[in-house]
Amino acid sequence: MTTQENITSVLVENRIFVPHKNFIEQANLKKEEYERLLLKANTDFEGFWAELAERNVHWFKKWDKVLEWKEPFSKWFIGGKTNVSYNCLDRHLKDKANKTALIWVGENDEKRTITYQELFNEVCKFSNVLLNLGIKDGDRVVIYMPLIPEAVVAMLACTRIGAVHSIVFGGFSQEAILDRVNDAKAKMVITADGGYRRGQAVPLKLNVDNALEKCSSVEKVIVVQRIKNKIDLKSGRDYWYHELINNASLENKACELDSEHPLFILYTSGTTGKPKGILHTTGGYLTWVTQTTKWVFDIKDKDTYWCTADVGWITGHSYVVYGPLSCGATTLLYEGAPNHPDWGRFWKIVEENKVSIFYTAPTAIRAFMKAGSEWVKKYDLSSLRLLGSVGEPINPEAWMWYHKNIGQERCPIVDTWWQTETGGILVSPLPGITTTKPGSATVPLPGIFASVVDENGNSVPSDQGGYMVIKKPWPSMLRTIYGNDERYVQTYWSRTKSAYFTGDGAHKDKDDFFWMLGRVDDVIKVSGHLLSTMEVESALVSHSSVAEAAVVGYPDEIKGEALCAFVVLKQSASDHQSTLSDELKQHVAKQIGPVAKPDQVRFTEVLPKTRSGKIMRRLLRDIASGKQTVGDTTTLEDMSVLEKLRVQDEE
Ligand code: WT7
């Protein structure tokens, strides 16, 4: 957004949900303690963070200094020594050796349960494998795997010896591997012979082979046998995981690493521009993911926790692996697709494993809405006690559907706002404290100083849109863009004065609740009004025939920009598309106002998305304005979507 105007916020949501008494009584974080923490964060910022670091992390050596802040570069718990693998494994062995750490469900219904003791043993052995193959602390290791327990073993083994992992999502192509291996000059790739995706075999090892033809830094490749397809092992470079691990020693002591030791690099999904290698470090990251797992997910010893993300995303790092394991919890991994073999799959997994905490993305929720609630009704979901949402603004209709059908009006919903860059959740309801409003991520967590500002960095009054910024550093913040401090400063610290620029638009309501408006690049200007595409989408989805919608602007002589809505209909919707088109336009006009009325409504079966489920509006903008698609499409999940949308264009 380059203009001076504020974003016009038009979404009005009046429903509120107060936490149930039963939940409040048993919550990890209660109101009194919450208020003490808020006060402490305000009056003794460093003391507040020291308390959290002390409480959540085992330190081999305590830090000398809590924070060094040379804007925009931060260091946390300086001089402290710790280890992420130690915190996720060793420290639980005394009380929880036989507790299940991982439940793994394969796409074809296989199941494995792995205790803390077993996971510890495997990680120790694999750490020795890495050391024996010449991996040293600070070396970069690329992990390109399906969602199988060995991926978790590989992550934890890297952190144990101080190697820096960079996970490339197993659904990405060889170009993505190539870029990321070269950007980080990785020394090793850990992969599998293949993986399954929607019932199809994906040739992971072949992709690695192809990528490595153009990479010179990789010396060794370790291959997990997953689908038993035929692959080539290059002698002197490639090794079978199972052979190496069978010969490895069990003895491995976790390295005592500096708090600021690099932990991992993760490239952002990149709806725009070249992917950025987000660098996270050890002590601060671990402190915050552990603390937020306890606060936001209210995790307890008896819980079975399932976050549906892949380890290829930040959600998988922070809230499938590190947060839950650091808390000593049972975390579930599901390898496959939500609709394999049918749309009941997730609910079957919930029933069979008595999942109590469930965390997923709005795009998945909308897909379930579209498939129909009859899939949900077949299963017993009474084990669930808390639901979470992450990844994009959840439109109130999807929130209500989630609340009614999955939460059965019993479970609090935590709508968690955060980013790859923030490492952990920054804005979210606390399930035993916060009154929720469908569609709002509510308020920042204690210690997080978020604000909504204008172009000049001044706070905007309530109910006015602006840029969402974070005004003080926090321990799990990215330290830089790997190898590119300048781009770090440019991207996050130059748009608004003295604050971290999130790139999101937001407004605060009169109760100081945050309403995210999506990326500011998704803001469009129609007849002088800046509108959030997300709000128009939300209005469309509130119509009973609409499953999903994406709205983009295209140039218009009179209005500046006009609105084009790409709409996916529910299966149950009638197919009178021409009358429905007018009806939808009127519906939006009624919900939001005539200014937001789409000029065009185009019906489609699917929307182009990144593999993490974000709609690629850039591509839709090109289509709406009749341009040939230009620029990077490597993160697009299904290329044929573009062709389908274009064909429709020509019709
Ligand atoms: C962007 C970050 C954080 C893990 C997954 C995505 C959007 C994320 C919410 C939410 C509204 C949200 C923002 C943010 N986003 N969660 N609860 N409400 N918007 O990580 O790929 O780095 O994307 O996702 O636009 O900036 P990511």
Side-chain angles (χ1 to χ4, degrees):
M1 195 169 69
T2 50
T3 62
Q4 292 288 324
E5 285 100 327
N6 290 315
I7 305 166
T8 313
S9 177
V10 282
L11 186 78
V12 183
E13 174 59 53
N14 295 319
R15 290 168 286 207
I16 59 162
F17 293 83
V18 183
H20 284 290
K21 189 167 152 283
N22 297 349
F23 199 99
I24 295 174
E25 278 165 5
Q26 60 81 60
N28 283 350
L29 185 57
K30 299 199 170 64
K31 192 148 193 180
E32 216 171 69
E33 168 71 350
Y34 171 65
E35 275 160 7
R36 181 189 72 81
L37 287 162
L38 283 180
L39 186 68
K40 186 160 178 184
N42 266 315
T43 52
D44 176 15
F45 186 69
E46 292 190 13
F48 166 86
W49 287 113
E51 182 185 329
L52 264 48
E54 183 85 66
R55 201 205 280 165
N56 288 291
V57 171
H58 172 87
W59 299 87
F60 300 119
K61 175 182 169 288
K62 202 179 156 173
W63 57 88
D64 310 310
K65 194 167 180 242
V66 173
L67 169 65
E68 184 191 286
W69 180 227
K70 292 186 181 149
E71 191 186 311
F73 298 96
S74 74
K75 289 185 179 163
W76 286 88
F77 312 117
I78 300 148
K81 301 268 185 208
T82 184
N83 182 289
V84 169
S85 166
Y86 183 94
N87 277 275
C88 290
L89 299 169
D90 309 42
R91 69 160 156 171
H92 305 311
L93 293 183
K94 201 166 136 270
D95 304 325
K96 299 182 181 172
N98 296 321
K99 174 174 175 167
T100 301
L102 303 181
I103 300 174
W104 175 78
V105 181
E107 182 162 282
N108 300 323
D109 237 2
E110 302 129 282
K111 183 168 168 178
R112 287 163 67 185
T113 55
I114 299 169
T115 64
Y116 272 94
Q117 182 71 54
E118 288 164 344
L119 188 59
F120 168 81
N121 291 352
E122 187 89 353
V123 169
C124 286
K125 287 201 230 167
F126 196 58
S127 300
N128 288 326
V129 166
L130 296 179
L131 291 169
N132 291 340
L133 288 179
I135 298 299
K136 288 191 286 297
D137 106 18
D139 286 345
R140 275 83 53 214
V141 173
V142 162
I143 299 176
Y144 179 64
M145 280 170 103
L147 191 53
I148 53 176
E150 287 77 7
V152 179
V153 172
M155 293 166 79
L156 289 167
C158 285
T159 70
R160 196 167 183 85
I161 67 169
V164 183
H165 62 65
S166 163
I167 306 190
V168 180
F169 172 52
F172 279 157
S173 61
Q174 60 200 57
E175 277 85 342
I177 310 173
L178 176 68
D179 285 351
R180 287 151 177 76
V181 163
N182 283 339
D183 190 64
K185 299 194 179 53
K187 219 167 140 182
M188 175 184 272
V189 176
I190 305 173
T191 187
D193 52 359
Y196 295 110
R197 204 173 149 71
R198 305 212 171 104
Q200 304 266 322
V202 187
L204 298 177
K205 174 61 164 61
L206 186 65
N207 291 346
V208 170
D209 288 341
N210 291 339
L212 292 192
E213 280 176 16
K214 296 185 199 121
C215 307
S216 55
S217 58
V218 172
E219 295 168 11
K220 306 285 178 195
V221 176
I222 301 181
V223 188
V224 177
Q225 194 166 46
R226 166 71 189 113
I227 67 170
K228 304 207 165 104
N229 56 342
K230 202 181 148 317
I231 57 157
D232 295 323
L233 288 190
K234 192 169 159 191
S235 150
R237 189 194 72 179
D238 302 352
Y239 303 84
W240 282 118
Y241 176 97
H242 56 273
E243 288 178 3
L244 295 170
I245 211 144
N246 278 343
N247 299 320
S249 140
L250 242 178
E251 299 300 313
N252 184 285
K253 203 168 157 290
C255 272
E256 302 194 0
L257 298 169
D258 209 82
S259 175
E260 277 300 326
H261 191 83
L263 179 65
F264 63 80
I265 302 166
L266 182 61
Y267 290 80
T268 51
S269 47
T271 35
T272 43
K274 176 183 179 287
K276 303 177 286 252
I278 303 303
L279 179 72
H280 283 288
T281 61
T282 302
Y285 173 83
L286 186 62
T287 297
W288 191 236
V289 297
T290 310
Q291 185 63 82
T292 48
T293 304
K294 291 178 191 165
W295 282 350
V296 176
F297 299 116
D298 194 53
I299 212 152
K300 306 260 182 357
D301 241 348
K302 57 177 194 307
D303 279 309
T304 297
Y305 165 92
W306 181 20
C307 164
T308 66
D310 188 276
V311 291
W313 313 118
I314 189 68
T315 313
H317 287 61
S318 303
Y319 299 112
V320 173
V321 179
Y322 294 126
L325 293 180
S326 175
C327 291
T330 298
T331 178
L332 189 144
L333 313 170
Y334 167 55
E335 182 190 32
N339 57 348
H340 187 86
D342 61 46
W343 284 103
R345 189 60 194 270
F346 272 23
W347 321 121
K348 182 166 178 263
I349 294 173
V350 169
E351 177 182 288
E352 284 177 359
N353 297 282
K354 300 207 165 28
V355 171
S356 53
I357 303 171
F358 178 74
Y359 188 31
T360 195
T363 175
I365 298 167
R366 286 193 299 268
F368 289 120
M369 277 173 81
K370 184 180 174 200
S373 52
E374 55 277 16
W375 291 108
V376 182
K377 296 202 179 90
K378 293 186 178 166
Y379 299 95
D380 175 9
L381 304 186
S382 60
S383 56
L384 288 172
R385 66 180 196 90
L386 185 144
L387 304 176
S389 167
V390 63
E392 53 178 312
I394 176 165
N395 48 298
E397 291 315 306
W399 196 103
M400 289 305 297
W401 186 90
Y402 198 29
H403 170 69
K404 284 201 180 114
N405 292 277
I406 309 304
Q408 301 173 341
E409 303 186 10
R410 171 186 76 240
C411 304
I413 295 180
V414 289
D415 173 2
T416 62
W417 179 91
W418 58 296
Q419 310 176 297
T420 305
E421 293 88 340
T422 69
I425 297 165
L426 298 194
V427 181
S428 168
L430 289 158
I433 298 169
T434 318
T435 294
T436 52
K437 305 181 188 181
S440 169
T442 75
V443 292
L445 296 175
I448 303 303
F449 293 81
S451 184
V452 181
V453 301
D454 63 18
E455 291 268 306
N456 303 316
N458 301 317
S459 298
V460 300
S462 66
D463 281 332
Q464 259 191 40
Y467 301 122
M468 158 105 171
V469 297
I470 316 293
K471 294 199 149 170
K472 289 188 182 188
W474 66 101
S476 68
M477 67 192 285
L478 77 165
R479 297 303 188 262
T480 189
I481 292 174
Y482 187 74
N484 199 341
D485 284 352
E486 207 181 303
R487 191 173 178 202
Y488 167 68
V489 175
Q490 188 59 36
T491 312
Y492 304 107
W493 297 90
S494 56
R495 284 280 274 274
T496 46
K497 223 174 58 207
S498 260
Y500 167 80
F501 177 69
T502 64
D504 279 1
H507 83 266
K508 283 206 280 182
D509 67 15
K510 59 181 186 335
D511 299 324
D512 279 341
F513 275 37
F514 282 74
W515 295 81
M516 305 305 168
L517 302 169
R519 310 297 297 171
V520 288
D521 307 330
D522 298 335
V523 167
I524 44 187
K525 192 173 177 187
V526 180
S527 306
H529 297 270
L530 284 176
L531 294 169
S532 151
T533 53
M534 175 249 145
E535 291 184 315
V536 183
E537 287 159 11
S538 198
L540 285 165
V541 178
S542 73
H543 187 281
S544 61
S545 299
V546 176
E548 195 164 28
V551 172
V552 295
Y554 63 95
D556 180 278
E557 262 178 27
I558 295 165
K559 300 179 171 185
E561 271 187 295
L563 290 178
C564 178
F566 293 85
V567 172
V568 182
L569 293 177
K570 280 190 189 149
Q571 243 132 42
S572 55
S574 74
D575 47 19
H576 299 301
Q577 298 201 341
S578 61
T579 53
L580 195 53
S581 167
D582 286 339
E583 195 179 316
L584 290 178
K585 289 179 189 172
Q586 292 312 325
H587 181 72
V588 174
K590 202 165 141 231
Q591 294 268 307
I592 302 183
V595 64
K597 196 163 111 179
D599 301 271
Q600 283 188 42
V601 174
R602 298 197 190 187
F603 297 100
T604 170
E605 301 259 301
V606 264
L607 294 168
K609 287 186 185 163
T610 66
R611 284 156 211 228
S612 60
K614 286 200 169 55
I615 295 168
M616 294 182 86
R617 291 194 172 70
R618 180 170 52 83
L619 301 182
L620 293 175
R621 272 196 290 272
D622 289 351
I623 291 166
S625 54
K627 262 193 262 166
Q628 271 299 319
T629 304
V630 282
D632 184 28
T633 53
T634 53
T635 55
L636 181 64
E637 184 180 52
D638 177 4
M639 281 301 288
S640 68
V641 168
L642 281 187
E643 290 312 317
K644 282 182 204 144
L645 289 169
R646 257 199 231 100
V647 169
Q648 194 190 21
D649 195 22
E650 282 153 16
E651 274 167 7

